[in-house]
């Protein structure tokens, strides 16, 4: 199966047009690269490292794919996203400790920030598990691991 150069959907070999988005395709040219969110990934790399990519979003476990799959572009992308999320979670934790001294508003703001971190974590896990290389909203453009 080939991969659409525009939307990343799988398309039958030797198809001139993507059935999902209608983008014209060059026959056989897209079988080597997986495209999603502007990131080009090898489909074999994506399939082999989905578990590593998922682990990257679970707190300190971002170290597992960093050490176990250092040559995987897919795992490295999600490891960077997981590291940024981890650091953001630390900042939110510090901010929550400071806000604890404000009786009612501090509790509400802290809860919303914690919920935001949780939503970003779930979004990252879903992207990694489904083979997507999409950046997380708000914090996804930060690059620590190249």
């Amino acid at each position: 199966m080939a991969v659409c150069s525009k939307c990343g959907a799988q398309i039958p070999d030797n198809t001139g047009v993507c059935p999902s988005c209608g983008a014209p395709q060059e026959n056989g040219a897209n079988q080597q690269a997986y495209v999603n969110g502007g990131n080009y990934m090898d489909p074999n790399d994506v399939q082999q490292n989905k578990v590593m990519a998922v682990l990257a979003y679970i707190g300190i476990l971002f170290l597992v794919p960093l050490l176990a799959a250092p040559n995987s572009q897919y795992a490295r992308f999600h490891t960077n996203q997981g590291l940024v999320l981890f650091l953001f979670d630390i900042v939110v934790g510090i901010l929550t400790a400071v806000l604890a001294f404000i009786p009612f508003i501090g509790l509400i703001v802290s809860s919303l920030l914690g919920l935001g971190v949780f939503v970003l974590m779930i979004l990252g896990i879903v992207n990694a598990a489904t083979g997507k290389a999409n950046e997380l909203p708000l914090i996804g453009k930060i690059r620590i691991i190249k």
Side-chain angles (χ1 to χ4, degrees):
M1 278 241 147
V3 178
C4 174
S5 60
K6 183 176 179 186
C7 71
Q10 289 189 347
I11 58 175
D13 293 335
N14 301 320
T15 301
V17 178
C18 174
S20 291
C21 69
Q25 303 295 307
E26 294 179 28
N27 291 336
N30 299 316
Q31 294 179 3
Q32 299 303 315
Y34 177 80
V35 183
N36 202 319
N39 299 295
Y40 297 87
M41 306 281 173
D42 176 21
N44 294 326
D45 182 25
V46 171
Q47 284 303 108
Q48 292 173 355
N49 291 295
K50 280 185 181 179
V51 172
M52 291 295 165
V54 168
L55 288 175
Y57 291 98
I58 306 173
I60 195 79
L61 292 181
F62 74 85
L63 290 171
V64 173
L66 184 64
L67 299 172
N71 298 325
S72 166
Q73 183 183 6
Y74 186 69
R76 206 169 44 247
F77 173 84
H78 286 289
T79 300
N80 179 73
Q81 297 286 293
L83 172 59
V84 171
L85 181 62
F86 179 73
L87 295 174
F88 181 66
D89 190 22
I90 290 173
V91 170
V92 166
I94 292 169
L95 190 57
T96 298
V98 171
L99 290 173
F101 294 107
I102 304 173
F104 183 67
I105 296 172
L107 177 65
I108 292 172
V109 172
S110 297
S111 298
L112 290 174
L113 287 172
L115 180 63
V117 169
F118 181 72
V119 167
L120 289 175
M121 181 182 75
I122 296 300
L123 186 59
I125 289 171
V126 169
N127 281 336
T130 57
K132 296 179 182 174
N134 296 335
E135 295 173 341
L136 293 173
L138 304 174
I139 62 172
K141 297 226 181 280
I142 299 170
R143 294 284 177 261
I144 297 173
I145 300 170
K146 303 284 182 203

